[in-house]
Structures are given as C-alpha cells and as structure tokens.
Amino acid sequence: MYDFVVVGVGPAGARFSRRAAENGYDVLAFEKGTVGEPLACSGHVSTDIWEFTGSGARNELFQNEIYGARFHVGGPHSTAYPFYKRDVASNVIDRVGLDRHLADLAREAGADVREEHTVTEVTEQHDRVEVVANGPDGAETYEAKMVAGCDGPRSRVRNALSIPEPDELLHGVLAFSDENDHENFVDVHLTAPTFFAWRIPRGEAGVEYGLAAPPGVEVTKHFEELIDGYEIDVSHRCSGAIPIGPPTRVTSRRGFLIGDAAAQTKPFTGGGILYGMTSADHAAREIDPDRPATLGAYERAWRDDLDREQALGHWLRRAYSFPEPIQRLGLGALSGEIGVHMDRPTSLVSIEHLKALLSRR
Ligand SMILES: Cc1cc2nc3c(=O)[nH]c(=O)nc-3n(C[C@H](O)[C@H](O)[C@H](O)COP(=O)(O)OP(=O)(O)OC[C@H]3O[C@@H](n4cnc5c(N)ncnc54)[C@H](O)[C@@H]3O)c2cc1C
C-alpha cells in the first residue's frame, strides 16, 4: 500500500510528489503521456518560479525577461497603455523543460514517477483508495492511503471523487512565429470577449501569440484576426483549457485536488503554474495520509493563502468587459510604473506599489 498515488505529473503533481517523498512518504505518480507534452501553455511566470526549481534550472529553462505589459483596447496598431516595473517582473520560460525538470526533482526525492500510465478508475474505500492505471503492460490496480488528483482542468479524479466542477473552463489557443525578439514587454489585447489575447517575445525561441475566451466565443476567428493584425506567419498551433473559479471543496474522504484540477489559477490571467505549486506545498505540509482529518487543514491552508488573491483577480477580470471608452479612460489614468506582484493582486495595496505611484512624474 502506497501512502499517496498522484494522478498527473504537471507542475502541481510533480511538486507534490517531490515534497511528499521528501517528507518520507511512499509516493507513486502516474503521467498518462510523456511529462511536459503536449505543450499548451505560455510559460510566462513571475520570478518566484526559481524558488521551486533546482540548481542550474535557470540556465536550462530561461528564455526572456519581462518588465511589463502594454495593454491595448484594440488590435496591434491601437494605442498602447504600458504598465511596468523598474525591476524584472516576470520570466518567459521553456514550459516543457520545466515539467521535465520538476519531474526529475520528484524522482530524485524518491517518488516513483511512471510515464505512459493513464489512470482510468479511482475508487474510495473507508480505509484506502484503489486506482486503476493502464500502462504498457496493461491495466493494474494500485492501493494507497490517499489519492492526489493533479490531472489538470478536465480532471478524472475530480469526477471520481464527486467533487464539484470549477465555475468556468476557458478555451486558450497558442501559436508561434520564428521572429527573434528579446523585447521586455508583452502585449495584451482586450479584444477577446471577457478575456484577452497576447503577444509574448520569447527571445531566440520566437514570439508567441495567444488568445483565451469562454465557450461559445469563436476563439479561432478572433485568433485569426489577431494574427492578421500582426501580419505574421505562425506555426505549431496548440490549445488547452483554463479553469477559473475553484469549487467549494477540493477534498473528499481520502482524496484531494491540486492545481488546475482544483482551479487554483489566477482569474485575471488564467496562469496556474505558481498557484498550483504553492498549493502543492500546502498539501504536502498539512496532509498526513494516516489521518484523513488533515485534509481539512489543506483546504484551509490553500484558501487562506489564495482566496483573497482570487477574489480580487475576479474583479480585475471584470474590467476586460467594460465598455471601450471606460477601458480607455481607466487604462489612461492607471498606466505607468507599478509595484504590483503579478501573482498577488492584493499587492495593489502595498508600500511597493505606493512608492511606484509616487515616483511617477
Ligand atoms: C493557452 C494556455 C496558456 C497558459 N499560459 C500560462 C502562463 O503563461 N503561465 C501560467 O502560470 N499558466 C499558464 N497556463 C495555465 C497552466 O498551463 C496551468 O495552470 C498548469 O499547467 C497547471 O498545472 P497542473 O499540474 O495543475 O496541470 P497540468 O499541467 O494540466 O498537468 C496535468 C497532468 O495530468 C496528466 N493527466 C491527465 N489525466 C490523467 C490521467 N487520467 N492519468 C494520468 N495522467 C493524467 C496530463 O497529461 C498532465 O500532464 C496556460 C494555460 C493555457 C491553456
């Protein structure tokens, strides 16, 4: 009997596996394909990412550094409203490489990470969970004291444990051009209904164009308009789901969700790498597989940390749907130097932000 079976080895699953193994637990982690593939993410993260990686990771994964974002109410040639920091605000990184790096750290810590294993069934008993995984040698059943559902936005574990769905599932699309662009600003276009489109310079790795919007919106049509506006050829198109709004609970009797499975994402950007790994740390610290009551401590810990950030993030996102004249007025009035941490919207009320506002001429 394992202490934990982890389903899914993205950033959340890899981080939890590593931390739980470091705490001395027997961890078996299943990834349905090859870790990191297929890519469906921009890999645009705050510099906090390097607190979660091992030595040498920055040399391996870093692509570009970003100081701020230029917001546009219209397309590529419309007025730009820049928001920026004096220091580096974020990094663009190799996301496939990140996942592989995090999985290697989990293995080094002692977790048994198995790729090409798809979990097809999860059953909770009063004293254990049974997990069926389909691998190269066929289907096998494994027993564990607890199961961690780290299997992304369309989580099978979430369904098996009868945990409610996230509020929303946005549809995100990406494509890349081969421009060599080391510029330090991303462009954000508020043209997609209720969300946004973006352009991210990735240094020698090219430029990424992307867009996300809720179901019902013609994402492909809006994306083509973006590409046409930039007058650029793109390739390597990919897409993925972005969950927004966590369910009221992310734990069951002997199971719990982390990362996108739990919608631990930023409602105003859809970013979830840092929130997922932060929540994985809360889970590894709080959950004792021999004491199911500790699941409540995990539920409290991650919400205490991220609830207010997500609530404020929802309010910020509402501004994407304001009428255009109000957006222009607001962006015009607020743009300039800021001191806000991109993962922590509550830092709008911080000494750093106040200092940045006062330093504006
Ligand atoms: C277009 C787009 C752009 C994005 N850009 C950013 C960004 O710039 N910055 C950012 O922070 N976030 C971004 N995100 C969000 C980010 O990708 C996710 O928040 C992050 O990947 C969540 O990590 P996770 O480990 O919870 O889930 P995932 O990364 O989805 O990992 C889940 C893993 O579980 C595996 N799995 C699923 N089902 C099973 C099963 N039954 N058995 C075994 N394995 C299974 C999957 O193969 C996958 O590897 C973006 C998302 C999209 C769609």
Side-chain angles (χ1 to χ4, degrees):
M1 166 109 75
Y2 289 91
D3 289 309
F4 294 106
V5 164
V6 177
V7 185
V9 187
R15 179 71 181 182
F16 177 76
S17 299
R18 175 187 174 190
R19 281 289 182 234
E22 284 170 351
N23 289 346
Y25 292 120
D26 280 338
V27 180
L28 174 61
F30 292 121
E31 168 52 49
K32 71 176 176 190
T34 303
V35 167
E37 295 174 18
L39 173 71
C41 175
S42 308
H44 178 217
V45 283
S46 70
T47 51
D48 293 1
I49 190 70
W50 308 118
E51 293 166 22
F52 293 85
T53 54
S55 59
R58 197 174 184 282
N59 286 344
E60 213 182 291
L61 305 174
F62 173 85
Q63 293 178 336
N64 197 14
E65 56 189 14
I66 302 294
Y67 282 74
R70 288 184 294 247
F71 278 79
H72 305 256
V73 172
H77 305 296
S78 61
T79 309
Y81 300 92
F83 291 72
Y84 54 90
K85 292 180 91 163
R86 199 160 285 189
D87 303 318
V88 176
S90 55
N91 283 177
V92 184
I93 62 166
D94 168 2
R95 168 65 204 268
V96 175
L98 174 74
D99 284 24
R100 289 184 183 151
H101 174 80
L102 295 170
D104 285 345
L105 292 178
R107 286 188 174 108
E108 282 163 27
D112 181 353
V113 176
R114 299 190 195 173
E115 298 179 56
E116 312 299 335
H117 280 75
T118 304
V119 169
T120 53
E121 275 176 58
V122 176
T123 320
E124 269 183 305
Q125 311 288 357
H126 77 280
D127 60 345
R128 74 205 131 94
V129 284
E130 287 170 5
V131 175
V132 179
N134 216 334
D137 301 325
E140 279 193 57
T141 303
Y142 300 83
E143 289 187 341
K145 293 173 186 170
M146 286 199 185
V147 61
C150 307
D151 49 343
R154 300 186 195 280
S155 170
R156 186 188 285 257
V157 178
R158 188 172 63 220
N159 289 347
L161 301 179
S162 303
I163 293 175
E165 303 270 312
D167 294 342
E168 249 186 304
L169 220 47
L170 305 184
H171 178 200
V173 291
L174 297 177
F176 301 85
S177 75
D178 56 11
E179 300 153 89
N180 187 335
D181 190 339
H182 291 265
E183 217 207 338
N184 301 121
F185 273 77
V186 299
D187 287 282
V188 176
H189 299 272
L190 304 179
T191 44
T194 84
F195 217 65
F196 61 81
W198 60 89
R199 177 188 189 276
I200 302 179
R202 312 188 71 94
E204 277 149 37
V207 173
E208 176 196 306
Y209 298 84
L211 183 144
V217 171
E218 289 178 90
V219 167
T220 312
K221 175 178 149 273
H222 288 286
F223 188 60
E224 293 309 327
E225 284 165 4
L226 178 81
I227 300 302
D228 290 349
Y230 273 106
E231 298 170 25
I232 195 83
D233 288 329
V234 292
S235 59
H236 300 99
R237 288 175 188 242
C238 50
S239 71
I242 300 175
I244 306 280
T248 45
R249 64 181 171 87
V250 301
T251 55
S252 63
R253 201 166 0 141
R254 287 196 167 265
F256 53 98
L257 308 177
I258 315 177
D260 273 19
Q264 288 160 338
T265 59
K266 291 183 278 182
F268 61 110
T269 68
I273 297 174
L274 266 306
Y275 280 14
M277 288 203 285
T278 301
S279 301
D281 283 359
H282 289 307
R285 192 186 60 249
E286 300 294 343
I287 299 173
D288 175 346
D290 289 309
R291 295 171 55 223
T294 55
L295 288 167
Y298 162 57
E299 190 89 74
R300 281 189 296 281
W302 84 263
R303 289 186 197 274
D304 282 353
D305 191 4
L306 299 179
D307 246 5
R308 281 189 317 140
E309 307 297 346
Q310 288 188 315
L312 193 51
H314 274 292
W315 280 100
L316 291 176
R317 182 179 164 201
R318 285 190 191 173
Y320 302 161
S321 309
F322 285 168
E324 272 189 36
I326 297 184
Q327 285 181 331
R328 283 184 217 286
L329 260 177
L331 289 170
L334 298 173
S335 60
E337 191 182 333
I338 54 170
V340 179
H341 187 294
M342 73 181 263
D343 295 332
R344 299 278 169 185
T346 53
S347 57
L348 271 165
V349 188
S350 66
I351 302 285
E352 288 71 26
H353 188 48
L354 187 64
K355 274 190 201 156
L357 293 181
L358 292 174
S359 72
R360 289 182 186 180
R361 289 156 208 234

